[in-house]
Amino acid sequence: MLNEVTITKAILETYMNKLKSALELDVAIVGAGPSGIVAGYYLAKAGKNVGLFEKKISIGGGMWCGGMMFNEIVIQDAAKPLVEEFGVRIKKFEDGYYTVDSIEAVSSLTYHALQAGLKIFNLITIEDIVFKNGRVSGLVINWTPVDMTGLHVDPLTLHSRFVLDATGHPSNVVEALVRKMGMKLNTVTGGMVGEKSMDAHLGEMNTVENTREAFPGLYVSGMAANATFGGYRMGPIFGGMFLSGKKAAEEIIKRLE
Ligand code: 48H
């Protein structure tokens, strides 16, 4: 006979063990869009203790809906080997342009990242950072429903050797650091430079170039990198997001070693 209390205990104990194992991380990734998931995959594959925190129920950020709700995305030559590594089927459109079913892309990236050992926590919003010894040293976490309803519930905290802001256009972690701590970033202005208008070619290059450390302990990837360092947007071409996630992982791995 199945026992309802045993089912409840199974969920509570397993989840708590997963969360406890993420309280002292090598890398804490904020945001489960394409760049965050890809970064998580490569970091986990390298044996790092890495947790990814996503405020929504679903994982995948802005990738589900392709362009304007047509659920296909475009990738370019440079991103093809990476996409193939995730077992995603690629269709050639014309020389240099390929399409991928966006739902297959999200599902496959997520599956491989989890299998590599990435710990994913959905429905958790990052509301602040831990700031110690002049560097970003962790995250302040709360349930998304608490954040959405504005209930006065104090958060919990985790430590991490590095934090990756992969929150997309708003660059929420960098924004919190600047707003709450008044810190100068490693940007040309010392502040958040801001995202520029559309240029797909430049935007794709900017995304990868801008993937770096914005402040001691805090890296940026994807659209958050462009919002922080200043870069064009590119629309529904996703190669730059994937390559940015990979670059973020590689740079952080070097620092951890
Ligand atoms: C927890 C949070 C918080 C928070 C946000 O926007 P994303 O898909 O991120 P990227 O940068 O990997 O990909 C960008 C791409 O989707 C895109 O928007 C493109 C290519 N735009 C081009 C254009 O021209 O517009 O995902 C970010 C994720 C989302 O799932 C958010 O819910 C999540 O981060 N997030 N999670 N705590 N404080 N803030």
Side-chain angles (χ1 to χ4, degrees):
M1 278 261 263
L2 288 169
N3 184 318
E4 296 79 6
V5 172
T6 308
I7 294 169
T8 304
K9 279 184 187 164
I11 289 174
L12 292 183
E13 282 181 29
T14 312
Y15 185 89
M16 287 310 161
N17 286 338
K18 186 161 60 175
L19 186 57
K20 276 197 280 186
S21 76
L23 295 181
E24 279 166 315
L25 289 167
D26 292 320
V27 188
I29 301 172
V30 188
S35 72
I37 301 172
V38 169
Y41 165 79
Y42 285 108
L43 285 159
K45 206 171 151 218
K48 306 303 171 198
N49 186 14
V50 49
L52 190 160
F53 300 86
E54 166 56 51
K55 70 177 180 183
K56 294 190 182 145
I57 290 179
S58 67
I59 303 308
M63 195 158 58
W64 285 110
C65 293
M68 220 180 107
M69 294 202 270
F70 300 108
N71 63 5
E72 293 282 335
I73 55 170
V74 170
I75 61 156
Q76 61 275 56
D77 282 317
K80 216 168 147 256
L82 186 154
V83 174
E84 280 164 351
E85 189 175 337
F86 287 91
V88 179
R89 289 169 300 168
I90 297 169
K91 290 151 279 181
K92 184 170 176 180
F93 182 69
E94 57 179 66
D95 281 352
Y97 296 82
Y98 306 86
T99 61
V100 169
D101 183 296
S102 62
I103 295 170
E104 182 169 331
V106 173
S107 318
S108 201
L109 257 56
T110 308
Y111 170 77
H112 281 93
L114 285 164
Q115 292 279 314
L118 176 66
K119 296 163 192 167
I120 300 183
F121 300 90
N122 57 342
L123 280 173
I124 290 186
T125 294
I126 301 316
E127 59 169 64
D128 207 342
I129 50 154
V130 179
F131 192 90
K132 274 183 194 287
N133 305 319
R135 60 181 278 130
V136 174
S137 309
L139 296 174
V140 178
I141 64 172
N142 215 330
W143 296 119
T144 296
V146 167
D147 183 60
M148 286 170 77
T149 50
L151 289 170
H152 188 163
V153 179
D154 268 357
L156 293 175
T157 302
L158 60 92
H159 284 170
S160 186
R161 291 172 70 191
F162 288 94
V163 169
L164 175 64
D165 184 343
T167 61
H169 297 268
S171 198
N172 276 325
V173 183
V174 176
E175 189 276 330
L177 172 72
V178 172
R179 175 171 43 84
K180 299 199 74 170
M181 298 301 298
M183 288 295 148
K184 263 188 112 177
L185 306 173
N186 300 331
T187 61
V188 280
T189 61
M192 281 179 72
V193 179
E195 180 187 305
K196 297 184 184 147
S197 292
M198 179 80 80
D199 182 323
H201 186 75
L202 288 180
E204 285 294 88
M205 292 199 302
N206 290 161
T207 308
V208 179
E209 284 156 12
N210 288 334
T211 299
R212 52 199 148 105
E213 196 172 35
F215 188 81
L218 178 60
Y219 278 75
V220 286
S221 68
M223 283 314 292
N226 288 329
T228 301
F229 286 101
Y232 285 87
R233 69 186 303 188
M234 68 301 293
I237 178 161
F238 278 75
M241 299 301 136
F242 301 146
L243 294 167
S244 163
K246 186 174 186 193
K247 179 180 171 188
E250 286 168 351
E251 302 274 313
I252 296 172
I253 288 165
K254 274 190 233 149
R255 297 287 301 281
L256 287 167
E257 282 156 9

